[in-house]
Each structure stands twice: as C-alpha cells, then as structure tokens.
Amino acid sequence: METLSTNRSHGGVQGVYRHAAAATGTDMTFSVFVPDHEEGARLPVVWYLSGLTCTHANVTEKGEFRRACSELGLIFVAPDTSPRGEDVADDAAGAYDFGLGAGFYVDATEAPFARHYRMWSYIVDELPELISAQFPADMTRQSIMGHSMGGHGALTIGLTHPDRFSAVSAFAPIVAPTQVPWGQKALGGYLGDDRAAWLRHDAVALIERGARFPDLLVDQGEDDQFLSEQLRPGLLADACARAGIELTLRLRPGYDHSYYFISTFMESHLRWHARRLQTGIKP
Amino acid sequence: METLSTNRSHGGVQGVYRHAAAATGTDMTFSVFVPDHEEGARLPVVWYLSGLTCTHANVTEKGEFRRACSELGLIFVAPDTSPRGEDVADDAAGAYDFGLGAGFYVDATEAPFARHYRMWSYIVDELPELISAQFPADMTRQSIMGHSMGGHGALTIGLTHPDRFSAVSAFAPIVAPTQVPWGQKALGGYLGDDRAAWLRHDAVALIERGARFPDLLVDQGEDDQFLSEQLRPGLLADACARAGIELTLRLRPGYDHSYYFISTFMESHLRWHARRLQTGIKP
C-alpha cells in the first residue's frame, strides 16, 4: 500500500492511499480518515460508497464527515467506484452511467468487463482485509452508507451481510436497479441476461426474497432530478413495510442530488451509525 | 447579475453568481450563502477572501462553513481572487503567485496590470454595493476573514476600515508582504517602486503606522510549508503587542496550509465573528 497524501484535519488524519488490487487486477485508490485515538485502540469503521462519476475524492473533499467522525471516534473509508487504468474497458459511447466511475458494486460476468469490474469482491472481501491490516480498525464494528449508485451498493452489501454491519444508510440511493434505466443498463452490461444475478444486486428484490436488516436510514432530496425515474424510494418503503424492516425515510424539501445535500445530513447519518456501532458485533 | 447555480444546503441556499464588474472591467464570479431567515430580515455579512490559485469555488466546496453560518445567521460571501478573461494580463512565466488567481487585493498601477487588476476597489467598493442590493444583507454588520493571500487581504482591508468591520480573522495569512517573496513579487509587479503604496498593503506596516483594531484572530498550522518564509506570523504578533492590539494567534501542531486545515477551524472563526457582529455597527 502506497500513501499518496496525508493531511491533519479535524483532530485526525485524512489519508489517500493506493494499492495493487487482486480483485480488480488494477491499482485502486481510496481514502481513510482516522481520528486521534489512544495507542493500541481500534475504532469502528464506516464504509462510504460513492455514486456515478465519483472517485474517493468527492466525499473526501466535500462530504463534511471529519468533524463528526472525530467526535464519534469513527474511521471513515471511501473507495473508488470502479477499476481504472489504460486496459480497463469503458462504456462504448463514453457515457457517465456505465464503465469507468460506474462499477455498480457488482462482479461483472460479461466480456470485456468481467476482467476488471469486480467491485463487489473488492469492497466485500479485499479492501476490508487491507483496512484491517493497515489501520487501527475494529472489524467487529462496521457499518456502511453510500450515495446514489453507492447507496445501492451500501443497501445490497448491507442486506447481504447483516451480521457484518451494525448500521446501513443511504443518501438518495438507487433502491431497485432492476426496475430503473441506470440499473438496467448497468446490470445488463455487467451481468448479461442472468436475471437471478440481477436480483442479487437489487435492494428491493433482496428484501422481497427474504433479506432482513433491523432498520435502515435514507435521506432523499425532494428536488433531486433523478428522484422519480432512477431512485424511486417508494419502492424501498413498500418493500420494507411488507418485510417489517423499520425504514426511516426522510424527504428533504428543496434539496437536490449533490454534495450540498449529502454534506447537510452527513452528521445525522454518522450519529445513527455511531449509536448502532457502540453495540459491537451483533449476536 | 446572473445566477449560475443555487443549491439548498444546511438550511440555506448556496448560490454562485456572475456580474460585469466596473472596477475590473471584467466579468466576476462569486458565491454567496444565505441561511433561511424571516421575511424581510437582514443578516450580517462575513467576507471570505481566498488565497493564491483559488477562485470562489475552493472555499465554497471545501470550507465547511454552511452549517455554522446557518446556525449563527450569517451570510457568507466568497469573491474570486483576480480578474479573469482573455484580455487579462497574467504572469509572464505563468507562475501561480502573480497574475491570474493572485490579485493580492490591490489596485494595480503598473502596466499591463492596471487595466483590470483592481481587486481592492472591487472588494471594498463595488461588490458590497451589489451584495447590499441583491441579498438580504445588513451592511451595518460586516466582518472579514481570509486565507493566506486572502488573509493578507482581510487584514489590510479590515485594518483600513475599522468602522466597517466588526471582526477580522485569518487562516495562515501573509502578514507582511513587503518583507516576504510572495509579497515583494506581487507588490512590485502591481505597484512598481511606490514604497508608500506597498506599505498601505502590508498589515504589519499598517499597524506600525497607526492602524488599529480591537482584536484579531489568526490560526496557523505549524506544519504549513509556507510558514517561515512567506507567512511569518511572529511579525504580526510583535506589531500587535507593540500597538496594544489583542491578537489571538493559535498555532496548530500537525496542520498544513490546505482546506483540511481551514475547514477544521472555520466554525471557531465564524463563532468569533458572530459574537462581534451581534453588537451591530460600532460607535
């Protein structure tokens, strides 16, 4: 692991790191914020998955998470959203919603994407091992959140690993990718016609097929331009209601899809996570 | 005035605007955050002057000021750091510390810079008139802060207008440009050999020549790469001690010159300003 930068901020250290990732077969860059802590202490870990077009840098620069993480004693990990590199396939037309910056947190099975687009394995298996080895992280206390495509990633990874994560939340998530254009393009492109695989990467479908989590938190701007066509939080609300999952869905008048929205409610999400992380590993 | 963007954030509206500025003879872009407020209310105004290479965007995206401004009821104005445009002269070698992005908050008298580089008049006279006319601003309650070159601007403009500003603070300011390389290059380039003009744009020299302000707040990272050669806060401390100005100079171990540093202490500066702005116009 190579350290690209470290900056002291809000009573901790914001670092950016790069490593050769086996899952993707590429170099991967990510950021980690570690609050000051007692020698030998290990801190809970909050995973933040970013949305379409983003790298680790967007939330690292604009997310306004460090003050609360420092106060609450949380490590904050922000991975990239896709493999990158000269030999990494991209959308044929260079669209923003597929290929580079748009890995959708799946392991692709379709050529030419199957070679490098293995973001599920990278986020679920490989990067946690690196974080555990290189940072003062208590891997028995993890939680996950994300924005838009990254909200989709947080929901699907969280619902698939309810014993690993103490809290799951999202900002303006894609909740049912099998039912919306962004998701249909991505799942078709990465997974082909395998509808069973699609459904494993759809939070609403996972819940309908039995996945459970005690409670979920979602903030959604009412002026989000993607609300009605791509995000459709009502589908998640319906699925949670039927499944007995306590969903706190907060619609925010006037707010859009940007980091101006995310940064406003970041602290509230981190406090939600911290309350649940204090309980440590779940029984 | 043209609105380039508005985004709801932290219980207010973050806007970016452009207007044809008479002072500079160019279009100028700036950002304004206005917290929610009662109909007809007018709010105090905090001016934030940015440093070398910056535009309005750096602090707008990375400054983490909106939460505190919303809580404290402060309008936050972030201007650009120089005129810009195809016919605006730049440093002959394209250096970052002179010309575009480096207006140093002076009215240039030297060709070819005198034509457009009139940032003093723009910040002191023209932009306040626009803010007063277009935003719910209480111009009897203003304060000013800045970073690096913008800290220089905040100190010199504040010390020159003690009746206008209720508070003056800075992050890692250039305090004595006549004595350091950045300042000598800029003042020489914009003002030529007119040493009297140089001294009007040097905070330490202004204080030594009689300028007064009740108290000043400065945060300075101890790991700031520019500390000893360009910033030299000890010169300000000495001048303030001799003049009876109460300087709160907080050296911050481990912090550098970046927005990771600024954002950490932004809220503390805004609270300092808010306490002083509550008193309204000074007698």
Side-chain angles (χ1 to χ4, degrees), chain A residues 6-12 14 60-62 64-67 253-256 258-261 263-264 267, chain B residues 6-12 14 60-62 64-67 253-256 258-261 263-264 267:
Chain A
T6 59
N7 296 85
R8 185 150 183 79
S9 190
H10 285 289
Q14 179 64 62
T60 304
E61 295 177 355
K62 303 178 186 177
E64 302 190 16
F65 57 84
R66 281 176 286 271
R67 176 179 173 277
Y255 285 86
D256 60 23
S258 71
Y259 272 91
Y260 292 109
F261 154 69
S263 63
T264 300
E267 178 182 341
Chain B
T6 59
N7 297 85
R8 185 150 183 79
S9 190
H10 285 287
Q14 178 64 61
T60 304
E61 296 177 355
K62 303 179 186 178
E64 302 190 16
F65 57 84
R66 282 177 286 270
R67 177 178 172 276
Y255 285 86
D256 60 24
S258 72
Y259 272 91
Y260 292 109
F261 154 69
S263 63
T264 300
E267 178 181 341

Side-chain angles (χ1 to χ4, degrees), chain B residues 1 17 30-32 42 45 47 75-78 126-139 142:
Chain B
M1 185 181 82
Y17 308 92
F30 60 96
S31 81
V32 181
R42 298 186 84 80
V45 178
W47 293 85
I75 290 176
F76 190 96
V77 180
E126 184 170 6
L127 191 54
E129 284 189 26
L130 187 71
I131 297 296
S132 175
Q134 298 283 346
F135 296 90
D138 178 358
M139 303 305 280
Q142 298 182 65

